[in-house]
Amino acid sequence: MLPAPHFIAFNPPRRILMGPGPSDVYPEVLAAQARPTVGHLDPLFVGMMDELKSLIQYAFQTKNEMTMAVSAPGSAGMETCFVNLVEPGEKVIVCRNGVFGDRMRQNVERMGAIAVLVDNEWGTPVDPAAVEAALKAHPDARFLAFVHAETSTGALSDAKTLCALAKQYGCLSIVDAVTSLGGVELRVDEWGIDAIYSGSQKCLSCVPGLSPVSFSPAAVEKLKNRKTPVQSWFLDQSLVMAYWTSAGGKRSYHHTAPVNALYALHESLRILAAEGLENAWQRHHEMHLVLRAGLEKLGLNFVVAEDYRLPQLNTVYIPAGVDDGVVRTRLLKDYNLEIGAGLGALAGKAWRIGLMGFGARRENVSLCLRALEEVLS
Ligand SMILES: Cc1ncc(COP(=O)(O)O)c(C=O)c1O
């Protein structure tokens, strides 16, 4: 028999999370998660799930029936959209302007479909003209996929224009809103988005590990008319929705839902709804302006041009001669402050400073600027 390991309870410090996510979690959300666990088919719990669905619909600004939270992080939301809609051999136009666009490509190729790549330089948004050229060159494409807010660079793409183009050329749109939801304008129905996924740990300031998703009626039609079964049992929406809807008063077991994490998501979306979406977008913008002024005073330059810069994810070049690791370690050790390292092509070259959800507030901005000033001097 192996000897029993003896450890003390894990008790993390209270960090200030100003990286690319997870963001600072609302205290009310942490408290909600600590409430007593009930059964995942308890009538009180399924009543809460109905409210949660309405809250997700509000956050996405959609009336889509097929709206729920995948019991796994944003990557599973991404996979849910691709695996349910795309069939082997189908063509998907995939826009790549950072790390997460390339993850979309990998999803497409792993399911035996064909990815047609539209590449844009890192730090720039997806170019609608390049997308239109690809749509024209590939009239057999069935989908257009892109990342609304590219977390690896901090660039915001014009989802409204891109989805209109998809519609014009007979494609369904698949949109990554992991970092955009709750932080910048996003209107699923008005913009005609067909499949969208997000993450709980960014501008919703919830605990990580859940992915709100939504499918338009046209996407649901595509799913219903598949010629091949969805290759993932767990992510098959037609099975999962039997748990997420109580049509005819029946709700059946699909998997054991992460009950307490769903309390947390309910609470974070309730806080968002109480603030009002547009107020939340405005708050992110205002806090970004304060942070931007301070960063510029410190002589730090933004990677992304102002016109398409994400307020919730500020990417700045690391000044010449400054050691990335040393600075981030000191921020963490001396100030309990986490900022993000550069990702992919920007690794070692940039910092990513998040102002997401509960983190988009004045005291965080002030602390970050003061800490950076002290460490850099
Ligand atoms: C734009 C984008 N898409 C997808 C993901 C994957 O989400 P997760 O890490 O929750 O699986 C992330 C995570 O940072 C992201 O920023």
Side-chain angles (χ1 to χ4, degrees):
M1 193 156 160
L2 286 174
H6 288 289
F7 298 115
I8 55 166
F10 179 60
N11 203 351
R14 193 168 287 282
R15 303 267 201 227
I16 294 116
L17 300 178
M18 295 185 72
S23 62
D24 271 357
V25 176
Y26 287 109
E28 298 94 320
V29 169
L30 289 177
Q33 169 145 301
R35 290 185 189 132
T37 304
V38 296
H40 63 281
L41 287 168
D42 185 308
L44 287 176
F45 183 69
V46 299
M48 192 278 302
M49 286 174 77
D50 285 338
E51 288 186 8
L52 182 51
K53 181 171 160 181
S54 311
L55 286 163
I56 299 172
Q57 286 171 323
Y58 169 72
F60 276 139
Q61 288 292 289
T62 182
K63 295 198 175 88
N64 288 341
E65 260 313 301
M66 193 177 274
T67 298
M68 41 82 73
V70 179
S71 300
S75 306
M78 181 188 285
E79 201 142 339
T80 295
C81 289
F82 285 99
V83 85
N84 278 279
L85 296 179
V86 181
E87 292 193 71
E90 287 185 330
K91 214 176 239 187
V92 186
I93 301 204
V94 177
C95 306
R96 241 182 359 177
N97 60 338
V99 164
F100 295 100
D102 192 62
R103 292 237 186 126
M104 289 178 148
R105 172 194 66 77
Q106 294 177 45
N107 267 271
V108 169
E109 290 177 350
R110 276 173 186 245
M111 59 196 55
I114 302 152
V116 174
L117 296 172
V118 173
D119 278 320
N120 281 110
E121 206 181 309
W122 280 52
T124 67
V126 173
D127 175 13
V131 168
E132 183 158 23
L135 287 163
K136 271 191 186 143
H138 297 275
D140 54 339
R142 303 291 309 272
F143 303 94
L144 170 69
F146 66 91
V147 179
H148 187 204
E150 194 26 277
T151 328
S152 58
T153 66
L156 177 68
S157 288
D158 180 352
K160 185 179 179 183
T161 300
L162 294 171
C163 290
L165 277 173
K167 206 129 286 173
Q168 189 186 332
Y169 287 86
C171 285
L172 293 174
S173 49
I174 299 179
V175 179
D176 179 317
V178 170
T179 285
S180 59
L181 183 67
V184 284
E185 184 179 14
L186 171 63
R187 302 178 192 273
V188 168
D189 286 358
E190 204 178 307
W191 296 354
I193 295 173
D194 290 300
I196 189 159
Y197 58 92
S198 188
S200 48
Q201 78 278 24
K202 309 264 186 187
C203 296
L204 303 183
S205 278
C206 181
V207 293
L210 291 170
S211 176
V213 298
S214 186
F215 289 73
S216 74
V220 173
E221 250 338 273
K222 173 77 172 75
L223 171 55
K224 278 190 188 150
N225 292 314
R226 285 181 65 103
K227 293 178 196 73
T228 52
V230 172
Q231 154 254 323
S232 161
W233 181 88
F234 182 63
L235 299 178
D236 184 337
Q237 281 296 101
S238 51
L239 303 178
V240 182
M241 286 314 284
Y243 177 55
W244 270 88
T245 34
S246 36
K250 271 191 77 181
R251 196 183 277 257
S252 52
Y253 165 70
H254 175 264
H255 64 279
T256 307
V259 169
N260 293 58
L262 290 175
Y263 302 165
L265 185 61
H266 179 277
E267 183 63 8
S268 68
L269 288 166
R270 196 192 62 73
I271 292 170
L272 177 66
E275 178 178 17
L277 254 188
E278 285 171 332
N279 293 335
W281 299 338
Q282 181 62 23
R283 175 170 53 83
H284 282 87
H285 175 66
E286 283 166 12
M287 289 304 102
H288 159 73
L289 293 182
V290 182
L291 179 72
R292 185 192 75 183
L295 291 174
E296 286 174 352
K297 238 190 217 162
L298 293 176
L300 296 170
N301 297 314
F302 277 82
V303 170
V304 175
E306 195 166 344
D307 286 354
Y308 36 83
R309 199 177 280 165
L310 285 170
Q312 65 270 50
L313 205 274
N314 298 267
T315 311
V316 288
Y317 288 110
I318 300 170
V322 170
D323 187 312
D324 173 25
V326 169
V327 170
R328 283 186 299 105
T329 304
R330 273 205 58 200
L331 291 176
L332 198 63
K333 275 179 68 180
D334 298 349
Y335 300 86
N336 255 324
L337 172 66
E338 179 183 283
I339 65 165
L343 194 61
L346 291 171
K349 297 189 183 130
W351 290 315
R352 292 179 299 154
I353 304 175
L355 286 174
M356 298 180 175
F358 180 51
R361 61 190 206 281
R362 213 166 269 274
E363 67 199 80
N364 274 24
V365 174
S366 304
L367 171 80
C368 179
L369 290 172
R370 185 168 51 82
L372 269 175
E373 185 178 8
E374 287 172 11
V375 171
L376 288 175
S377 66

